[in-house]
Amino acid sequence: MISFESDYNNGCHEAILKRLMETNGERATGYGLDDYCTAAKEKIRMACNKPEADVFFLVGGTQTNATVIDALLDSYQGVLSVETGHINVHESGAIEFGGHKVLALPSHDGKMDAGELREWLEAFYDDIAYEHMVFPGMVYITFATEMGTIYTFEELQAISDICKRYKLPLFIDGARLGYGLMAEGCDVTLPQLADLCDVFYLGGTKCGAYCGEAVVFPHHNAPAHFFTIVKQHGALLAKGRLLGIQFDTLMTDGLFFKIARHAVEQAMRLRAAFISKGYKMYSDSPTNQQFVLLDKATIALLEKDFVFEQWFPVGDLMNCRFVTSWATRLEDVDALIAALPKLS
Amino acid sequence: MISFESDYNNGCHEAILKRLMETNGERATGYGLDDYCTAAKEKIRMACNKPEADVFFLVGGTQTNATVIDALLDSYQGVLSVETGHINVHESGAIEFGGHKVLALPSHDGKMDAGELREWLEAFYDDIAYEHMVFPGMVYITFATEMGTIYTFEELQAISDICKRYKLPLFIDGARLGYGLMAEGCDVTLPQLADLCDVFYLGGTKCGAYCGEAVVFPHHNAPAHFFTIVKQHGALLAKGRLLGIQFDTLMTDGLFFKIARHAVEQAMRLRAAFISKGYKMYSDSPTNQQFVLLDKATIALLEKDFVFEQWFPVGDLMNCRFVTSWATRLEDVDALIAALPKLS
Amino acid sequence: MISFESDYNNGCHEAILKRLMETNGERATGYGLDDYCTAAKEKIRMACNKPEADVFFLVGGTQTNATVIDALLDSYQGVLSVETGHINVHESGAIEFGGHKVLALPSHDGKMDAGELREWLEAFYDDIAYEHMVFPGMVYITFATEMGTIYTFEELQAISDICKRYKLPLFIDGARLGYGLMAEGCDVTLPQLADLCDVFYLGGTKCGAYCGEAVVFPHHNAPAHFFTIVKQHGALLAKGRLLGIQFDTLMTDGLFFKIARHAVEQAMRLRAAFISKGYKMYSDSPTNQQFVLLDKATIALLEKDFVFEQWFPVGDLMNCRFVTSWATRLEDVDALIAALPKLS
Amino acid sequence: MISFESDYNNGCHEAILKRLMETNGERATGYGLDDYCTAAKEKIRMACNKPEADVFFLVGGTQTNATVIDALLDSYQGVLSVETGHINVHESGAIEFGGHKVLALPSHDGKMDAGELREWLEAFYDDIAYEHMVFPGMVYITFATEMGTIYTFEELQAISDICKRYKLPLFIDGARLGYGLMAEGCDVTLPQLADLCDVFYLGGTKCGAYCGEAVVFPHHNAPAHFFTIVKQHGALLAKGRLLGIQFDTLMTDGLFFKIARHAVEQAMRLRAAFISKGYKMYSDSPTNQQFVLLDKATIALLEKDFVFEQWFPVGDLMNCRFVTSWATRLEDVDALIAALPKLS
């Protein structure tokens, strides 16, 4: 079976395994106070062009979202997200567990519209009863989104401008940031993204690492005692070097971005094949997640040799997700393309 | 520098690294639904002699404690622990973050006294105002304790009996369970421990793994939807196979227990040397953590070549902690013993 | 100024003040353990035709909603409500503060549609990722709704049936239950309502009392230690007799229902006048809240002598709320009708 | 039966009932935005000699403690209190429900020792692992304490000084503030108390009102959106005028203090009688709560005609609590004194 099930169905990049072996005999202080974490943080700061940034390593995405959001919000505030945002759908209520409401805006293929955000905020403060409501306390977006889409620089700037006007921190969930920045046609750079937001993370789990998300407060603006907040959330890894070594490796010589670009290229080959063979894409994704509408017979045929997810029905068809990753091989994509029947 | 700083200052057992390399090219479903997790769970069930046990893999100790405690307690209940219990001191309030009070009992070198537990419970229900108080909802103990001590079978049974009488689940924090079970003079077996409690965990982080704690509900008694509760706590690892592979390796041919025994043996050598050279131990620990009272001159001398923690002053002396682990080498201990001056 | 601003802009029914005076010199045990509470509970049980019901007195609506919902939900569950439900909009995130998500369904003039509820539940359990989502744990509806509407018996039964099928407790927020049951055309009786749900409350604050909500678990099905949960939520009144005396008075000789009926009658007179003078109602409310679309000139005219709320614009008009209560006088309504210009 | 059971076993002061009757026909905006609340707040500011103070009215004590503490603490902080503090014992875990640990110091007849507070704080910041612990975020004391004792001005100032040094807000639970300030030998005035702390409340429930606690931030230092935080905690009374009218009455012509003084005088008569008849007091309370050690025979004798609480055994005797209040009549105390046998 060849798996396009997800971008966390693989192990880790071999360069990481190599480093783990080389360093295994060493002794190091725990909790991220080791030299590997220090080196990795410095490389991330350089990649962001933010020498003063605060960087922390956490283990997974849901954990990172909950920790950052709880750290930034006051108790009476909620977080603005599109309806399809990961925190609003697939985190088992981790945000509410921390006491906060997710204030949902419409999703446009996974993206938030700056104009709708502005209108929501205007309407909130116009409401005679707003003091009886949950205050907006921050804005959460994903890059790339859950639907594989990305924001243009202009779109990101527009959202950032509104956040600044309303003094709302902007948080970018970067679980798939590598695939977003390396996407076909992406006009946003990592330093620009760091400029426009108040906090974001570089997702390692889905892009080369076994686990790990690097949280960046680009403007030396980490909340007081964020270390303790991370610990309180059960997100502080005792052997922090496991995260440090992984990110140090990924951030060396641009490995993180190279392997992300590879995944995107494979996804683009797949998309081109779907389209050329007459299939309709559910969304126009320039990243490593491709959504295509398949009929039952095609699904049955492909399921013999390939693993992929069926998300939800669209009319008589099914919206199916095919995900590439840094670990996807050229021959995997070739095989899928070859197996794909041409629609008459 | 030779480090006795902690039992999480090392990498992972080489057998694990080997397995990670061998399996790195494979594809597997995420979230612990892979074959390695399945195999590891089965081996754990066998080691516990509990074929019906429910087993889950989480990443770290604080996270595991918070998730298990939140899952077992009702909102109006708290958890009984000794004052020095990890959840009461060193988890940055993770239990309170989940809404629960830690109800503190006296600590006897880190251990709970069954008689004091019974008296506490009797006093609680005798109190005219108990409905205005936090109800006891479970009992939490550590094995080995934070002070390196362990419970005898009889002591454990006495606590278990009281828990049963008051219908309180008994939760054993096993972050150092390997070192506890393999301790000098330990008369408790893993199946006995599994019999006597309602939930415990096998700590991988401190005993051979890079990360990972295996939560065991021995009596097929996991709370409904514990998977979702784990996810909500940010404790569900996307690439669950990382945990599965580690525990599968550790539970093969008793590796976990062998390497724990090694650590205990090195600690016993260290203890014997401290005592024979005239030092006073702070506590009588049969496990991998040794607490010894040192004067400033000796500390200064040892700090040149060795890393260890100074916990707190005891009169003019300092209570210092030396920790061995599965990774401690014979020559490390030899060097420390050689460097240790004889007290006149 | 004559106020139609709300149904909590008044004092309390004079019969209650009389009882407070008569009983003021007495001594009574606190926390609701007094004879007045006992008597009031018994009268509520009789009115519901549920001799075995568990009854508790809390102070206000938001507090009651949060306490009941927290008591019934497990940590990984959320509460289903229509988007316009009070808990989803106007409680400052009290439900999320307790750790739970409000799962929002479409609102039909404030009402939940049984078919949409069933479809939501079917879709939830059909979702391949539902274990990563917030589980539905209960259903919350309001009677009368925030838009003044009420459910028919058939509608209520349909919702109740689905709840039973999915083992979801049904909670009816009765902050305006008196006005709902006494509404024009209501075909639901209090005993029927008690039959169909798992918990509801009789709102005193908006119907005759100074404060107080009577929570009823009709089937002797209060959660264990609900008293303590109430205390934990800061909802236990020390001088519980204040609530007991008020409800005992309101439940004597049907006073509660008589005064609610009075309010509805005044609202119906108002509605008839609006319609006969050519105004368009925003919703078709048979209860004490009337929503009418007014132009700016009419608003300016009426504001000279009357207090009412402007909710939100509808095209060029404004949706305005006029609320009657047990304390609304015939002459207040007469005056408003007289002041209302006829639309040409 | 004559009741010394508590200071909330009575109704409300007749002057309040009179005002409730006089104002009952009026209409007023809800949520504390009415003229009575405005007037009451102004009178409280004057009594505190703090014209710039922020004042809020809440309903009960546990609710007030939880709301204030949650509003002032960051998520990683706990509240320092003596072990016997109300929040640590008798609030069913309301503080932990809000996510915060109560950090317990020794109790000296209910009082915190400034020296011990300083030592605790020094030890905390000296601890090598303090970033893994719950940070101290505020100091909570009660005045009068649960044991009837009060702080001297000097003691209060010493605690306040330490709080300032460590930038910890000082919160004074004033559920019994009236009885504390009017206590025998009290050398603290209300303006002094307001000067020395960051927030406190004037307890109405136990001193003349049916319900209500007036929270005072003396230095115009209420947290942002405290109104919304109150609402979120279910502590915002819809008919806020009920609280406004009560406090406006109590704060007129010093009524609150006069009736508190009356209660203290009756308690002093009782204490003198206990002592002169040979009984041993459990604590030396100058306020309205008296703790006396009685034997079983005396308890049995007194229980025939009097209600009082038996707190806990002290050797063969029982520590019994007798509470006076603003509503205690001279003849009630006379009767108890008369019934009290002289110890041989």
Side-chain angles (χ1 to χ4, degrees):
Chain A
M1 295 293 281
I2 297 176
S3 173
F4 293 93
E5 189 184 13
S6 72
D7 34 19
Y8 44 89
N9 62 354
N10 43 65
C12 69
H13 194 277
E14 58 182 12
I16 288 174
L17 269 187
K18 192 159 165 287
R19 288 290 297 282
L20 288 176
M21 289 185 61
E22 290 165 1
T23 60
N24 198 47
E26 300 174 16
R27 296 292 172 272
T29 291
Y31 304 120
L33 306 173
D34 61 278
D35 295 343
Y36 299 107
C37 284
T38 302
K41 289 178 183 185
E42 193 55 23
K43 285 174 183 157
I44 289 171
R45 287 187 194 100
M46 292 305 103
C48 299
N49 198 21
K50 291 285 174 195
E52 76 286 16
D54 300 316
V55 184
F56 297 84
F57 298 117
L58 279 71
V59 178
T62 293
Q63 175 188 96
T64 301
N65 287 335
T67 304
V68 169
I69 289 170
D70 289 347
L72 292 186
L73 291 183
D74 277 321
S75 65
Y76 59 93
Q77 298 176 323
V79 51
L80 283 153
S81 159
V82 294
E83 281 180 298
T84 54
H86 204 258
I87 56 169
N88 195 41
V89 183
H90 285 126
E91 302 195 348
S92 296
I95 305 308
E96 291 80 9
F97 181 72
H100 303 290
K101 193 179 190 71
V102 181
L103 302 161
L105 292 178
S107 163
H108 302 278
D109 279 345
K111 290 162 66 180
M112 183 181 289
D113 179 78
E116 287 175 356
L117 172 62
R118 197 193 59 238
E119 285 161 23
W120 191 99
L121 291 164
E122 286 170 359
F124 176 83
Y125 286 107
D126 278 351
D127 196 302
I128 52 169
Y130 78 89
E131 288 194 299
H132 296 251
M133 295 161 70
V134 175
F135 277 67
M138 66 190 296
V139 171
Y140 164 94
I141 60 174
T142 50
F143 191 98
T145 71
E146 295 76 7
M147 305 306 291
T149 52
I150 57 167
Y151 292 85
T152 64
F153 178 77
E154 197 178 14
E155 288 170 340
L156 212 53
Q157 197 173 36
I159 291 175
S160 179
D161 284 350
I162 293 163
C163 287
K164 283 190 178 63
R165 198 180 316 156
Y166 282 89
K167 297 192 196 310
L168 297 174
L170 175 59
F171 172 31
I172 300 178
D173 172 338
R176 292 193 174 97
L177 189 60
Y179 302 127
L181 291 175
M182 291 298 108
E184 198 71 6
C186 176
D187 70 347
V188 185
T189 67
L190 180 55
Q192 286 174 331
L193 184 134
D195 270 337
L196 290 173
C197 75
D198 298 275
V199 53
F200 72 96
Y201 59 99
L202 279 158
T205 303
K206 287 170 177 151
C207 193
Y210 240 124
C211 58
E213 316 293 309
V215 177
V216 182
F217 295 93
H219 320 296
H220 190 36
N221 59 326
H225 299 299
F226 189 69
F227 179 94
T228 302
I229 296 171
V230 171
K231 174 80 177 181
Q232 188 186 42
H233 280 74
L236 186 66
L237 197 64
K239 296 186 178 175
R241 72 199 248 181
L242 175 61
L243 303 173
I245 290 167
Q246 292 184 93
F247 273 102
D248 191 41
T249 306
L250 289 171
M251 299 311 290
T252 298
D253 298 333
L255 178 62
F256 181 74
F257 300 103
K258 281 178 209 162
I259 63 177
R261 181 65 200 157
H262 165 81
V264 169
E265 284 166 359
Q266 302 318 306
M268 293 304 98
R269 287 177 60 213
L270 208 46
R271 183 174 65 166
F274 278 125
I275 291 171
S276 76
K277 294 199 182 189
Y279 293 90
K280 188 167 159 40
M281 306 307 289
Y282 178 77
S283 69
D284 187 27
S285 161
T287 65
N288 72 316
Q289 295 193 89
Q290 294 299 316
F291 297 88
V292 63
L293 302 181
L294 300 182
D295 57 41
K296 284 185 185 171
T298 308
I299 291 173
L301 178 75
L302 294 178
E303 279 189 332
K304 287 181 196 153
D305 297 307
F306 302 92
V307 186
F308 55 94
E309 285 191 349
Q310 301 179 39
W311 272 32
F312 48 81
V314 177
D316 290 343
L317 303 175
M318 180 63 71
N319 180 18
C320 294
R321 186 179 77 154
F322 291 81
V323 189
T324 64
S325 78
W326 61 274
T328 300
R329 298 172 305 173
L330 292 168
E331 56 262 43
D332 297 339
V333 175
D334 291 343
L336 178 55
I337 292 174
L340 194 67
K342 200 174 171 74
L343 276 193
S344 52
Chain B
M1 295 291 281
I2 298 175
S3 173
F4 293 92
E5 189 185 14
S6 72
D7 35 19
Y8 44 89
N9 63 355
N10 44 64
C12 69
H13 194 277
E14 58 183 14
I16 288 175
L17 269 187
K18 193 159 164 289
R19 288 290 297 283
L20 289 176
M21 289 186 62
E22 290 165 1
T23 60
N24 199 48
E26 301 174 14
R27 298 292 171 270
T29 291
Y31 305 120
L33 305 174
D34 61 277
D35 294 343
Y36 300 106
C37 284
T38 302
K41 289 178 183 185
E42 193 55 24
K43 285 173 183 159
I44 289 171
R45 287 187 194 101
M46 292 306 103
C48 298
N49 198 21
K50 290 285 172 193
E52 78 286 15
D54 301 315
V55 183
F56 298 84
F57 298 117
L58 279 71
V59 177
T62 293
Q63 173 187 99
T64 300
N65 287 335
T67 304
V68 169
I69 289 170
D70 289 346
L72 291 186
L73 290 184
D74 278 320
S75 64
Y76 58 93
Q77 296 176 324
V79 52
L80 284 154
S81 160
V82 294
E83 282 180 298
T84 54
H86 204 258
I87 57 168
N88 194 41
V89 183
H90 285 127
E91 301 195 349
S92 297
I95 305 308
E96 291 80 8
F97 182 73
H100 303 291
K101 193 178 188 72
V102 180
L103 302 161
L105 293 178
S107 164
H108 302 278
D109 279 344
K111 291 162 65 179
M112 184 181 289
D113 180 78
E116 288 175 356
L117 172 62
R118 197 193 58 239
E119 284 162 22
W120 192 99
L121 290 164
E122 286 170 358
F124 177 83
Y125 286 107
D126 278 352
D127 197 302
I128 51 167
Y130 78 90
E131 289 194 298
H132 296 251
M133 295 162 71
V134 175
F135 276 68
M138 65 191 295
V139 171
Y140 163 95
I141 60 174
T142 51
F143 191 99
T145 72
E146 296 75 7
M147 305 306 291
T149 52
I150 56 168
Y151 293 86
T152 64
F153 177 78
E154 196 177 15
E155 289 169 339
L156 212 53
Q157 195 171 37
I159 290 174
S160 178
D161 284 350
I162 294 163
C163 287
K164 282 189 178 65
R165 197 182 315 158
Y166 283 89
K167 298 192 197 308
L168 297 174
L170 175 58
F171 171 31
I172 300 178
D173 172 338
R176 292 194 173 96
L177 188 60
Y179 302 127
L181 291 174
M182 292 298 107
E184 199 71 7
C186 176
D187 70 346
V188 184
T189 66
L190 181 55
Q192 286 174 331
L193 183 135
D195 270 337
L196 290 173
C197 74
D198 298 275
V199 52
F200 72 96
Y201 59 100
L202 280 158
T205 302
K206 286 169 177 152
C207 193
Y210 239 123
C211 57
E213 314 295 309
V215 177
V216 183
F217 295 93
H219 320 296
H220 189 37
N221 58 326
H225 299 298
F226 190 68
F227 178 94
T228 302
I229 296 171
V230 170
K231 173 79 178 180
Q232 187 186 43
H233 280 74
L236 185 67
L237 197 63
K239 296 187 180 175
R241 71 199 248 180
L242 175 61
L243 304 173
I245 290 167
Q246 292 185 92
F247 273 101
D248 191 41
T249 307
L250 289 170
M251 298 311 289
T252 298
D253 297 332
L255 178 61
F256 181 75
F257 301 102
K258 281 179 208 160
I259 64 178
R261 181 64 199 157
H262 165 81
V264 169
E265 283 166 0
Q266 301 318 306
M268 293 305 98
R269 288 177 59 212
L270 208 46
R271 181 173 68 166
F274 278 124
I275 291 170
S276 76
K277 293 201 181 188
Y279 294 90
K280 186 168 161 41
M281 306 307 288
Y282 178 77
S283 69
D284 187 26
S285 161
T287 65
N288 73 315
Q289 296 192 90
Q290 294 299 316
F291 298 87
V292 64
L293 303 181
L294 300 182
D295 58 41
K296 284 185 184 171
T298 306
I299 290 173
L301 178 75
L302 294 178
E303 279 188 331
K304 286 182 198 156
D305 298 307
F306 302 93
V307 187
F308 55 94
E309 285 190 349
Q310 301 180 40
W311 271 33
F312 49 81
V314 177
D316 291 342
L317 303 175
M318 179 63 70
N319 180 17
C320 295
R321 186 180 76 154
F322 291 80
V323 189
T324 64
S325 77
W326 61 274
T328 301
R329 297 172 305 174
L330 293 168
E331 55 262 44
D332 297 338
V333 177
D334 290 344
L336 178 56
I337 292 173
L340 195 67
K342 200 174 172 76
L343 277 193
S344 54
Chain C
M1 297 293 280
I2 297 175
S3 173
F4 293 93
E5 189 184 13
S6 72
D7 35 18
Y8 44 89
N9 62 355
N10 44 65
C12 69
H13 194 277
E14 60 182 11
I16 288 173
L17 270 187
K18 193 159 166 287
R19 289 289 297 283
L20 289 176
M21 290 186 61
E22 289 166 2
T23 60
N24 198 48
E26 299 174 16
R27 297 292 172 272
T29 291
Y31 304 120
L33 305 174
D34 61 277
D35 295 344
Y36 300 106
C37 285
T38 303
K41 289 177 183 185
E42 193 55 24
K43 285 173 183 157
I44 288 171
R45 287 187 195 101
M46 292 305 104
C48 299
N49 198 22
K50 291 285 173 194
E52 78 285 16
D54 300 317
V55 183
F56 297 84
F57 298 117
L58 279 71
V59 177
T62 292
Q63 175 188 96
T64 301
N65 287 335
T67 305
V68 169
I69 289 170
D70 289 346
L72 292 186
L73 290 184
D74 278 320
S75 64
Y76 59 93
Q77 298 177 324
V79 52
L80 284 154
S81 160
V82 294
E83 282 180 298
T84 54
H86 204 259
I87 56 169
N88 194 41
V89 183
H90 285 126
E91 301 195 348
S92 296
I95 305 308
E96 290 81 9
F97 182 73
H100 303 291
K101 192 177 190 71
V102 181
L103 302 162
L105 293 177
S107 164
H108 302 278
D109 280 344
K111 291 162 65 179
M112 183 181 290
D113 179 78
E116 288 175 355
L117 172 61
R118 195 194 59 238
E119 284 161 23
W120 191 99
L121 291 164
E122 286 170 359
F124 177 83
Y125 286 107
D126 278 352
D127 197 302
I128 51 169
Y130 78 90
E131 287 193 300
H132 296 252
M133 296 163 70
V134 175
F135 277 67
M138 65 190 296
V139 171
Y140 163 94
I141 61 174
T142 50
F143 192 98
T145 72
E146 296 75 6
M147 305 306 292
T149 53
I150 57 168
Y151 292 85
T152 64
F153 177 78
E154 197 177 13
E155 289 170 339
L156 212 53
Q157 197 173 34
I159 290 175
S160 178
D161 284 350
I162 294 164
C163 287
K164 282 190 179 64
R165 198 180 317 157
Y166 283 88
K167 297 193 197 308
L168 298 174
L170 175 59
F171 171 31
I172 300 178
D173 172 338
R176 291 193 174 98
L177 188 60
Y179 302 128
L181 291 175
M182 293 297 108
E184 198 72 7
C186 176
D187 70 346
V188 184
T189 66
L190 181 55
Q192 285 174 332
L193 184 136
D195 270 337
L196 291 174
C197 74
D198 298 275
V199 52
F200 71 96
Y201 60 99
L202 279 158
T205 303
K206 287 171 177 151
C207 193
Y210 239 123
C211 58
E213 316 293 310
V215 177
V216 182
F217 294 94
H219 320 295
H220 189 39
N221 59 326
H225 299 299
F226 190 70
F227 178 94
T228 301
I229 296 171
V230 171
K231 174 80 178 180
Q232 187 186 44
H233 280 73
L236 186 67
L237 197 65
K239 295 186 179 175
R241 72 199 249 180
L242 174 60
L243 303 174
I245 290 167
Q246 291 185 93
F247 273 101
D248 191 41
T249 306
L250 289 171
M251 298 311 290
T252 298
D253 298 332
L255 179 61
F256 181 74
F257 300 102
K258 282 179 208 161
I259 63 177
R261 181 65 199 158
H262 165 81
V264 169
E265 284 167 358
Q266 302 317 306
M268 293 304 98
R269 287 178 59 211
L270 209 45
R271 182 172 67 165
F274 278 124
I275 290 170
S276 76
K277 293 199 183 190
Y279 294 90
K280 187 167 160 42
M281 306 307 290
Y282 178 77
S283 69
D284 187 27
S285 161
T287 65
N288 72 316
Q289 296 192 88
Q290 294 299 317
F291 297 87
V292 64
L293 302 181
L294 300 182
D295 58 41
K296 284 185 184 170
T298 308
I299 290 173
L301 178 76
L302 293 179
E303 279 189 331
K304 287 182 196 155
D305 298 307
F306 302 92
V307 186
F308 56 94
E309 286 191 348
Q310 301 178 38
W311 271 31
F312 50 80
V314 177
D316 290 341
L317 303 175
M318 180 63 71
N319 180 18
C320 295
R321 185 180 76 155
F322 291 80
V323 189
T324 65
S325 78
W326 61 274
T328 300
R329 297 171 307 173
L330 292 169
E331 55 263 43
D332 297 339
V333 177
D334 291 342
L336 177 55
I337 292 173
L340 195 66
K342 200 174 172 74
L343 276 192
S344 52
Chain D
M1 295 291 281
I2 297 175
S3 173
F4 293 92
E5 188 185 14
S6 73
D7 34 19
Y8 44 88
N9 63 355
N10 45 64
C12 70
H13 194 278
E14 59 182 12
I16 287 174
L17 269 188
K18 193 159 164 288
R19 288 291 295 284
L20 288 177
M21 289 186 61
E22 290 165 2
T23 60
N24 199 48
E26 300 174 15
R27 297 292 171 272
T29 291
Y31 304 120
L33 305 174
D34 61 278
D35 294 343
Y36 299 106
C37 284
T38 303
K41 289 177 183 185
E42 194 54 25
K43 284 173 184 158
I44 288 171
R45 289 186 194 101
M46 292 305 103
C48 298
N49 197 21
K50 291 284 172 195
E52 76 287 14
D54 300 315
V55 183
F56 297 84
F57 297 117
L58 279 71
V59 177
T62 292
Q63 174 187 97
T64 300
N65 287 335
T67 305
V68 169
I69 289 170
D70 289 346
L72 291 186
L73 291 183
D74 278 320
S75 64
Y76 58 93
Q77 297 176 324
V79 52
L80 284 154
S81 160
V82 294
E83 282 179 299
T84 55
H86 204 259
I87 56 168
N88 195 42
V89 183
H90 285 126
E91 302 195 350
S92 297
I95 304 309
E96 291 80 8
F97 181 73
H100 303 291
K101 193 177 188 72
V102 181
L103 301 161
L105 293 177
S107 164
H108 302 278
D109 280 345
K111 290 163 65 180
M112 183 181 289
D113 180 77
E116 289 175 354
L117 172 61
R118 197 193 58 240
E119 285 161 23
W120 191 99
L121 290 164
E122 287 170 358
F124 177 83
Y125 287 106
D126 279 351
D127 196 303
I128 51 167
Y130 78 91
E131 289 194 298
H132 296 251
M133 295 162 71
V134 175
F135 277 68
M138 65 189 296
V139 171
Y140 163 94
I141 60 174
T142 50
F143 192 99
T145 71
E146 296 75 7
M147 304 306 292
T149 53
I150 57 168
Y151 292 85
T152 65
F153 177 78
E154 197 177 14
E155 290 169 339
L156 212 53
Q157 197 172 35
I159 290 175
S160 178
D161 284 349
I162 293 163
C163 287
K164 282 190 179 63
R165 197 181 316 158
Y166 283 89
K167 298 193 195 310
L168 298 174
L170 175 58
F171 171 30
I172 301 178
D173 172 338
R176 291 193 173 97
L177 188 61
Y179 302 127
L181 291 174
M182 292 298 108
E184 199 72 6
C186 176
D187 70 347
V188 184
T189 67
L190 181 55
Q192 287 174 329
L193 183 136
D195 270 337
L196 291 173
C197 74
D198 298 275
V199 52
F200 72 96
Y201 59 98
L202 280 158
T205 303
K206 286 170 177 153
C207 192
Y210 240 122
C211 57
E213 315 293 309
V215 177
V216 182
F217 295 93
H219 319 296
H220 189 38
N221 58 327
H225 299 298
F226 189 69
F227 179 93
T228 302
I229 296 171
V230 171
K231 173 79 178 181
Q232 187 185 43
H233 280 74
L236 185 67
L237 197 63
K239 296 186 180 175
R241 72 201 249 180
L242 175 61
L243 304 173
I245 290 167
Q246 292 184 93
F247 273 101
D248 191 42
T249 306
L250 289 171
M251 298 312 288
T252 298
D253 298 333
L255 178 62
F256 180 75
F257 301 102
K258 282 179 208 160
I259 64 178
R261 181 65 198 156
H262 164 81
V264 170
E265 284 167 358
Q266 301 319 306
M268 293 304 98
R269 289 177 59 212
L270 208 46
R271 181 172 68 165
F274 278 124
I275 291 170
S276 76
K277 293 199 181 188
Y279 293 90
K280 186 168 163 38
M281 306 307 288
Y282 177 77
S283 69
D284 187 26
S285 161
T287 65
N288 73 316
Q289 296 193 89
Q290 295 299 316
F291 297 87
V292 63
L293 302 181
L294 301 182
D295 58 40
K296 284 184 184 173
T298 308
I299 290 172
L301 178 74
L302 293 178
E303 278 189 331
K304 287 182 199 158
D305 298 307
F306 302 93
V307 187
F308 55 94
E309 285 190 350
Q310 300 179 39
W311 271 32
F312 49 80
V314 177
D316 291 342
L317 303 175
M318 180 62 72
N319 180 17
C320 296
R321 186 179 78 153
F322 292 80
V323 189
T324 64
S325 77
W326 61 274
T328 301
R329 297 172 306 174
L330 293 168
E331 55 263 43
D332 297 338
V333 176
D334 291 344
L336 177 56
I337 293 173
L340 195 67
K342 200 175 173 74
L343 278 192
S344 53

